[in-house]
């Protein structure tokens, strides 16, 4: 890999350097001046695991090579909508897909311009229509008494009942997403970890100052003023929505689907920018579990959503024992064999991930117009001590589909809210590769 590219940030300069030297190490924060924690547009509307650095889509959308006003931008793994927000800011027509209902809700809220007056009025109506008592904290696979102090749960229950009684509209979507942020703010989970993990102020590994911080957090959450926090979050997000509206216009909105297969064939994208699931490196559904349950977005249980998620970890023993059709995974055969010798379940998870990504990329290829571009943001990780070369595997699938690699960039991960280590069989992602792939102008494998 070449040395860091310095001062040569135009796309043409990067492409020329890549043609000479191969994959380039870059820093998208320096290239765009956008950091991961900057309160820009609606990006900080709601926390979400493994959020994409806004600088990445911002760079490609503004480099003058892939998108102009009116271009159709698709993110088939949209998460909480980072790519789509940046797309709206550059005048694109944006479409997002995600199997997680909470992701779709947050993205819809973040990418639909609604006047501040309408949002504030809707919140006042919600406050006025709260029942004295709700229906009781939701029940199911997650024990809510473990995650919320009783007085806090009662207040959340009143708001949940009032939200459930509202007619469907853009204002309701906004308030539901804000309510989800409240749920995360007042739960008894460690705020430093994306999945719910009980906040423990007495861990031996903590410093005295860290213990004091955690004791303070717990005290605040046991005595949380739910209404005041809701007010605070709504007010902050109304301001963010105003910033989006000022840049993207009052009619800014997105089309949000559960799967790219649901996309009408007449809506082929000019550009796809997406960060596919990180295999077994993130528990997306578990991270969303408390909000999914409070909002009633998991009527068939969390496992039903997880079964639709690429990169899931839960499989029955008979599913692992029966194996998978792996004839198309020759590019990863050696790695899968080495993993399988150490852990059959991990092998099954890795192979299932690749099989499902093959299917997803076939659908994505069909959703891109001839001559269009696919930009993949991918990270490799470690499985059972073996480097799982996700970047190389997905590149192989794409080239089999007819895509041509135009550029390959590598950026270090400083913070994506990723689980870095969970157990001995799964390692962490330290950097991510950005692949720019172009679909042939004619022919190809699209439907």
């Amino acid at each position: 890999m070449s040395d860091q590219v310095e001062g040569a940030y135009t796309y043409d300069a990067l492409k020329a350097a890549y043609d000479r030297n191969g994959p380039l190490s870059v820093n998208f924060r320096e290239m765009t001046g956008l950091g991961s924690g900057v309160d820009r547009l609606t990006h900080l509307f709601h926390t979400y695991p493994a959020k994409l650095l806004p600088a990445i889509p911002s760079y490609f959308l503004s480099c003058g090579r892939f998108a102009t006003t009116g271009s159709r931008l698709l993110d088939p793994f949209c998460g909480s909508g980072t790519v789509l927000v940046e797309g709206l800011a550059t005048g694109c027509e944006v479409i997002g897909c995600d199997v997680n209902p909470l992701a779709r809700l947050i993205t819809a809220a973040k990418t639909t311009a609604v006047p501040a007056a309408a949002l504030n009025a809707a919140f006042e109506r919600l406050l006025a229509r709260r029942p004295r008592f709700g229906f009781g904290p939701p029940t199911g696979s997650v024990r809510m008494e473990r995650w919320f102090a009783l007085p806090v749960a009662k207040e959340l229950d009143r708001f949940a009942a009032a939200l459930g009684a509202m007619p469907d509209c853009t204002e309701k979507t906004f308030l539901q997403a804000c309510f989800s942020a409240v749920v995360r703010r007042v739960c008894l989970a460690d705020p430093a970890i994306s999945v719910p993990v009980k906040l423990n102020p007495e861990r031996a590994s903590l410093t005295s100052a860290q213990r004091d911080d955690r004791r303070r957090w717990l005290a605040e959450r046991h005595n949380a003023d739910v209404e005041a926090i809701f007010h605070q979050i709504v007010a902050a997000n109304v301001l963010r929505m105003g910033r989006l509206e000022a840049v993207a216009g009052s009619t800014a909105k997105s089309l949000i689907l559960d799967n790219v297969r649901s996309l009408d064939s007449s809506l082929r994208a000019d550009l796809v920018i997406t960060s596919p699931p990180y295999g077994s490196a993130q528990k997306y559904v578990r991270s969303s579990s408390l909000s999914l349950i409070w909002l009633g977005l998991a009527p068939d249980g969390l496992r039903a959503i997880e079964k639709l998620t690429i990169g899931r970890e839960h499989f029955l023993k008979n599913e692992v024992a029966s194996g998978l059709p792996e004839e198309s995974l020759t590019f990863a055969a050696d790695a899968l064999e080495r993993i399988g010798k150490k852990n059959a379940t991990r092998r099954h998870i890795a192979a299932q991930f690749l099989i499902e990504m093959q299917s997803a990329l076939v659908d994505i290829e069909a959703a891109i117009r001839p001559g269009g571009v696919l930009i993949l943001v991918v990270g490799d990780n470690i499985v059972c001590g073996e480097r799982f070369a996700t970047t190389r595997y997905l590149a192989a699938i794409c080239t089999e589909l007819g895509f041509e690699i135009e550029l390959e960039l590598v950026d270090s991960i400083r913070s994506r809210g990723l689980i870095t280590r969970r157990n001995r069989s799964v390692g962490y992602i330290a950097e991510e590769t950005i692949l720019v792939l172009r679909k042939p102008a004619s022919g190809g494998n699209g439907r």
Side-chain angles (χ1 to χ4, degrees):
M1 184 178 298
S2 70
D3 294 335
Q4 178 101 0
V5 176
E6 297 179 356
Y9 296 156
T10 68
Y11 187 83
D12 287 344
L14 292 176
K15 179 68 168 65
Y18 170 72
D19 289 341
R20 290 193 306 269
N21 304 313
L24 305 172
S25 176
V26 298
N27 186 319
F28 277 94
R29 297 162 187 80
E30 292 181 1
M31 290 163 63
T32 62
L34 297 177
S36 56
V38 176
D39 195 357
R40 168 178 160 82
L41 304 173
T42 54
H43 286 309
L44 298 190
F45 192 110
H46 193 293
T47 60
Y48 201 79
K51 290 177 77 170
L52 182 64
L53 184 72
I56 295 176
S58 177
Y59 175 80
F60 289 107
L61 288 164
S62 61
C63 73
R65 291 293 298 271
F66 306 116
T68 58
T69 300
S71 294
R72 186 172 294 129
L73 171 68
L74 168 67
D75 184 350
F77 301 106
C78 69
S80 64
T82 298
V83 169
L84 306 190
V85 170
E86 290 296 328
L88 288 173
T90 52
C92 289
E93 175 187 340
V94 300
I95 303 171
C97 307
D98 207 287
V99 299
N100 188 330
L102 182 64
R104 298 197 299 272
L105 176 76
I106 296 169
T107 298
K110 288 172 62 173
T111 58
T112 304
V114 184
L119 296 174
N120 288 323
F123 184 53
E124 292 302 320
R125 290 194 298 273
L126 182 73
L127 292 175
R129 294 174 183 177
R130 276 177 300 168
R132 185 176 179 184
F133 300 104
F135 302 110
T139 58
S141 57
V142 177
R143 293 169 45 235
M144 288 301 179
E145 64 271 18
R146 170 180 170 81
W147 298 108
F148 300 91
L150 182 58
V152 172
K154 288 181 177 179
E155 286 304 300
L156 290 174
D157 185 27
R158 294 176 65 205
F159 275 110
L163 281 167
M166 281 186 70
D168 290 339
C169 60
T170 53
E171 291 87 351
K172 178 179 180 177
T173 299
F174 175 89
L175 292 174
Q176 285 178 311
C178 290
F179 176 75
S180 174
V182 174
V183 168
R184 184 67 185 181
R185 181 83 66 85
V186 302
C187 72
L188 302 177
D190 192 329
I193 302 174
S194 62
V195 298
V197 174
K198 200 68 179 288
L199 185 59
N200 178 10
E202 309 305 328
R203 273 191 4 222
S205 60
L206 298 175
T207 66
S208 176
Q210 288 172 329
R211 290 193 186 98
D212 288 343
D213 283 341
R214 281 158 174 76
R215 292 187 189 106
R216 175 177 54 80
W217 289 341
L218 274 177
E220 289 175 353
R221 288 165 185 231
H222 274 285
N223 299 285
D225 185 334
V226 174
E227 181 177 334
I229 292 171
F230 208 159
H231 261 292
Q232 179 186 22
I233 288 173
V234 166
N237 285 336
V238 166
L239 289 176
R240 292 182 178 115
M241 190 59 63
R243 291 201 292 268
L244 177 69
E245 186 176 357
V247 172
S250 60
T251 60
K253 64 179 180 178
S254 57
L255 173 63
I256 309 299
L257 307 169
D258 61 348
N259 193 295
V260 71
R261 289 181 184 174
S262 303
L263 184 64
D264 189 285
S265 60
S266 66
L267 297 176
R268 282 191 171 188
D270 302 296
L271 174 64
V272 171
I273 303 177
T274 194
S275 179
Y278 276 94
S280 57
Q282 186 59 253
K283 292 186 176 181
Y284 297 93
V285 176
R286 184 181 164 194
S287 298
S288 308
S289 58
L290 298 179
S291 292
L292 286 167
I293 292 172
W294 270 110
L295 287 165
L297 297 176
D300 299 320
L302 297 174
R303 190 60 61 86
I305 300 173
E306 187 182 19
K307 285 181 178 180
L308 301 174
T309 303
I310 297 175
R312 64 193 179 279
E313 291 194 307
H314 295 113
F315 292 93
L316 299 175
K317 288 183 178 180
N318 65 322
E319 291 178 307
V320 175
S322 62
L324 293 165
E326 299 179 14
E327 297 82 2
S328 61
L329 303 183
T330 54
F331 52 82
D334 291 343
L336 291 173
E337 183 178 359
R338 291 193 299 270
I339 294 167
K341 289 178 180 178
K342 299 177 182 180
N343 188 316
T345 299
R346 286 289 163 196
R347 183 191 194 284
H348 186 92
I349 292 169
Q352 184 72 37
F353 168 75
L354 291 176
I355 289 170
E356 292 180 348
M357 279 305 305
Q358 277 185 321
S359 178
L361 285 166
V362 168
D363 292 332
I364 291 167
E365 188 273 342
I368 302 174
R369 66 164 177 80
V373 169
L374 166 62
I375 298 175
L376 285 179
V377 183
V378 188
D380 295 350
N381 63 312
I382 307 297
V383 180
C384 295
E386 300 287 339
R387 186 172 185 85
F388 194 69
T390 310
T391 303
R392 181 163 60 84
Y393 303 149
L394 298 192
I397 295 170
C398 288
T399 53
E400 287 177 2
L401 290 171
F403 286 100
E404 298 176 355
I405 297 177
E406 187 169 291
L407 181 63
E408 182 174 342
L409 306 172
V410 179
D411 194 4
S412 297
I413 291 180
R414 294 177 183 172
S415 175
R416 285 284 304 274
L418 292 168
I419 296 173
T420 54
R421 292 193 186 278
R422 286 200 312 279
N423 54 50
R424 295 178 182 176
S425 64
V426 180
Y428 65 92
I429 299 169
E431 61 185 22
E432 51 197 0
T433 298
I434 296 86
L435 295 172
V436 179
L437 305 116
R438 188 173 294 277
K439 181 174 176 175
S442 61
N445 298 282
R447 293 188 295 270

